[in-house]
Amino acid sequence: MTATTTAPVAAPSVRTEKRPSGRMRAWATRAPLLPALIFMVAVTQLPFVATLVISFFDWNSLYPDARSFTGFGNYSEVLTDAALRKSVWTTILLTVTVVLASLILGLGLALLLDRKFRGRGVVRTLLIAPFLVVPVAAALLWKHVLYNPEYGLLNGLLHYVGGPEPDWISNTPLLAVEMSLVWQWTPFMMLILLAGLQSRDHQQIEAAKVDGASDWQVFRYLTLPHLRRYLELGALLGSIYIVQNFDAVFTITSGGLGTANLPYTVYQSFYQAHENGLASAAGVLVVIGSIIIATFALRVVSSLFREEVGRA
Amino acid sequence: MSATAIRVRPRSTEAGNPGPRRPRGRGLGLVAWLAGIVFFLPIAWMALTSFHSEEDAATNPPSFGAALTLDGYREFFGTGGGASPWPSLINSTVASLTSTLLVLVLALPAAYALSIRPVKKWTDVLFFFLSTKMLPVVAGLLPIYLFAKNTGMLDNIWLLVILYTSMNLPIAVWMMQSFLSEVPVAIIEAAQIDGAKLPTILARVVAPIALPGIAATALICFIFSWNELLFARVLTGVVAETAPVFLTGFITSQGLFLAKVCAASLVISLPVLAAGFAAQDKLVQGLSLGAVK
């Protein structure tokens, strides 16, 4: 195996005489990795460390001289300020609703598309399209073209069937944001689950059917367990992106009417309110939330990954 | 047998007789078509509205058969007197293409080291890359903004290029790692024995084999850079404004400019739609960081 050629510095005795020293070999192997690694550390880790430091300071950029150390003051302010605490709750609600709804819809669509029917390719393309619209454009589309109470398509269609014609964004602002995000993210879930469905063992399914298993039994005892990892993967990747959502909140409601999530709040507190310390503390809280999700995500991805290595 | 109650299909068809299956298959096909149309309807409607005059676009109830015109597009491209979108489109193109190129230059050797000549603890390195993707953008936004402000890099397209590169590099390393693993090691060893150095091996041996995967990686990086709003919104202003930032100018737009909004949204989404449709299959693999094939 490659273990001898990549022998680490700690085990120089493994090296063979024909090759240069283990140390040299190890560095030659690592060298191509270094530019990317250094770049990532510099551009993503350093700013975060700075955010962490700033989060312990009371610092409004309009009053730079009044900067002072407050310890966890910003954190307790973030967690006790009603508006900020509401944005924590909004973030959770938005993420959970959008991920669950798009996952369930995506599963249904993936099951439909897994069957053969006329024009399957066309339907697949139609379904992927929402995911490929630039997020700001999608948010504008929902805000102006669909939700508008006077000439929007939604109320236009409701008009023809005689239903109620609500002012979507004013009446149900969070739902309005969520609907647009579910529309964008359902295709993503569908694509992942479809890949999962198509990697099933068809012989096993045929065998189960020959043994008299019903469609439901096949789904419940074969398909669903197989899909579990893909469902988890979809949920976790979706969460990572939706927790961070800025575009839809910014465009559809501008954070108003109780739809400000943490990313929007962070943006607003430093970009408009110039509260650097407070913004940083809120940012660190977003990170902690993401780390909790990410821990699970990494576990899922690594289990998928191990499965793949095991197969090879 | 409690499951019998839920079972839809009669038992006689279970042994693989395709006959009675067809009607239900067709029914579900119709459901799928319906779902496809429902999901695509907003985009189709946006396209139709973009070809309407502003008066027809803002009627209540919506008009379906109104006359078609290119006024919305003329307005958008600034011939109607508004701000021209061209600088923002050019900025987006430059930022997306340059950062994609930079990502490839950095990710290719890294993925090569991780897949073809595995370094010790290589899964740890892979997970480090992935974990940076999970660090929310807002976590580093303020220091980056302060840095840019103090160094005069605010409203500079090259700062966006660097940030977009860092945004896409982890995904690219992951994706390419999975694509490069498919290159046979024997070919690379043969090239090494012939005395080829790393750049030659990458360019002459690895790249041609892994080209479809590299192309898909590039497309996904391009899409993410093109779509990005938060960094661009905070760090650019007049000179380096990108297309999504240009679009935010329509947030408070009233009904009068509906056709223009639709035209703008469609034109700016067009590169992503084209790239996405071209890479449909690889898109899944890329977006799920190579975990799903």
Side-chain angles (χ1 to χ4, degrees), chain B residues 16-285:
Chain B
N17 172 13
R21 236 186 118 135
R22 209 169 288 144
R24 198 176 62 124
R26 191 181 293 160
L28 286 174
L30 276 178
V31 175
W33 264 101
L34 198 69
I37 291 167
V38 166
F39 266 80
F40 193 72
L41 187 65
I43 298 172
W45 184 249
M46 174 167 71
L48 186 64
T49 307
S50 74
F51 290 109
H52 281 169
S53 68
E54 296 295 354
E55 292 76 32
D56 289 332
T59 51
N60 176 30
S63 60
F64 294 91
L68 301 180
T69 162
L70 284 172
D71 285 354
Y73 290 89
R74 279 195 204 104
E75 275 291 325
F76 169 61
F77 283 112
T79 44
S84 166
W86 283 115
S88 71
L89 285 168
I90 292 166
N91 280 335
S92 272
T93 309
V94 170
S96 305
L97 289 182
T98 322
S99 79
T100 301
L101 200 69
L102 205 57
V103 165
L104 293 184
V105 168
L106 287 169
L108 200 54
Y112 175 81
L114 289 171
S115 63
I116 287 161
R117 293 159 51 182
V119 272
K120 205 175 176 262
K121 294 193 172 178
W122 65 290
T123 46
D124 292 349
V125 180
L126 263 180
F127 283 130
F128 166 74
F129 277 109
L130 187 57
S131 70
T132 61
K133 189 62 213 157
M134 293 170 184
L135 198 70
V137 167
V138 289
L141 194 60
L142 174 68
I144 291 168
Y145 172 78
L146 293 175
F147 168 81
K149 204 173 161 190
N150 292 330
T151 54
M153 290 273 281
L154 226 47
D155 206 8
N156 183 326
I157 198 75
W158 302 110
L159 182 65
L160 281 189
V161 169
I162 289 170
L163 293 172
Y164 290 172
T165 304
S166 79
M167 179 176 84
N168 288 324
L169 191 54
I171 298 174
V173 171
W174 267 81
M175 274 185 84
M176 282 212 233
Q177 185 275 132
S178 78
F179 291 124
L180 293 189
S181 312
E182 286 157 19
V183 178
V185 182
I187 303 181
I188 293 160
E189 283 175 350
Q192 280 170 336
I193 291 168
D194 290 345
K197 291 273 181 291
L198 181 65
T200 322
I201 294 175
L202 284 180
R204 295 278 176 84
V205 183
V206 176
I209 298 174
L211 205 59
I214 295 171
T217 310
L219 274 179
I220 284 168
C221 295
F222 174 82
I223 291 175
F224 278 132
S225 309
W226 186 274
N227 283 352
E228 206 282 331
L229 172 68
L230 187 53
F231 276 134
R233 165 84 196 170
V234 169
L235 300 171
T236 71
V238 187
V239 185
E241 181 190 64
T242 61
V245 179
F246 183 87
L247 271 183
T248 61
F250 292 105
I251 286 178
T252 54
S253 141
Q254 293 307 308
L256 231 55
F257 302 112
L258 206 59
K260 188 179 171 187
V261 172
C262 289
S265 298
L266 267 183
V267 170
I268 289 172
S269 295
L270 218 53
V272 175
L273 279 164
F277 285 140
Q280 276 186 38
D281 293 318
K282 299 285 182 197
L283 202 64
V284 194
Q285 198 175 338

Side-chain angles (χ1 to χ4, degrees), chain A residues 35-246:
Chain A
L37 262 181
I38 294 167
F39 184 87
M40 284 313 293
V41 171
V43 182
T44 67
Q45 312 293 297
L46 290 184
F48 177 62
V49 172
T51 303
L52 205 58
V53 172
I54 298 171
S55 75
F56 292 109
F57 284 87
D58 187 6
W59 177 14
N60 186 312
S61 59
L62 294 180
Y63 309 98
D65 298 334
R67 184 165 53 181
S68 65
F69 184 79
T70 63
F72 286 94
N74 288 319
Y75 290 91
S76 62
E77 201 176 331
V78 169
L79 293 171
T80 52
D81 179 358
L84 283 166
R85 211 166 47 190
K86 177 127 199 323
S87 77
V88 176
W89 175 239
T90 305
T91 310
I92 296 170
L93 204 62
L94 184 76
T95 310
V96 171
T97 313
V98 173
V99 169
L100 279 184
S102 54
L103 205 55
I104 291 166
L105 272 174
L107 176 62
L109 293 175
L111 287 169
L112 282 174
L113 281 198
D114 190 43
R115 314 173 64 89
K116 279 201 177 73
F117 61 89
R118 197 181 287 263
R120 183 166 71 162
V122 180
V123 172
R124 197 183 122 120
T125 306
L126 291 179
L127 281 170
I128 294 170
F131 193 67
L132 297 175
V133 175
V134 170
V136 188
L140 281 173
L141 164 69
W142 280 82
K143 183 184 168 96
H144 291 302
V145 185
L146 300 182
Y147 285 141
N148 188 291
E150 278 153 36
Y151 44 79
L153 181 65
L154 281 185
N155 286 358
L157 294 175
L158 284 171
H159 174 86
Y160 286 113
V161 296
E165 297 179 32
D167 183 349
W168 295 87
I169 298 174
S170 309
N171 296 351
T172 48
L174 192 60
L175 186 70
V177 173
E178 285 165 351
M179 269 166 63
S180 77
L181 284 172
V182 168
W183 178 74
Q184 276 228 295
W185 282 90
T186 297
F188 172 75
M189 301 301 185
M190 182 202 77
L191 287 171
I192 287 189
L193 294 175
L194 195 56
L197 283 175
Q198 286 168 355
S199 70
R200 277 180 307 173
D201 183 351
H202 286 283
Q203 279 182 336
Q204 198 183 22
I205 294 165
E206 284 307 310
K209 282 187 175 168
V210 170
D211 287 346
S214 67
D215 273 1
W216 168 253
Q217 284 170 324
V218 168
F219 176 74
R220 174 67 190 79
Y221 296 107
L222 289 177
T223 306
L224 212 54
H226 173 79
L227 277 188
R228 210 191 104 189
R229 284 154 189 268
Y230 296 89
L231 284 164
E232 287 174 345
L233 185 75
L236 294 161
L237 290 174
S239 308
I240 288 164
Y241 282 100
I242 292 158
V243 156
Q244 301 191 40
N245 181 273
F246 174 75

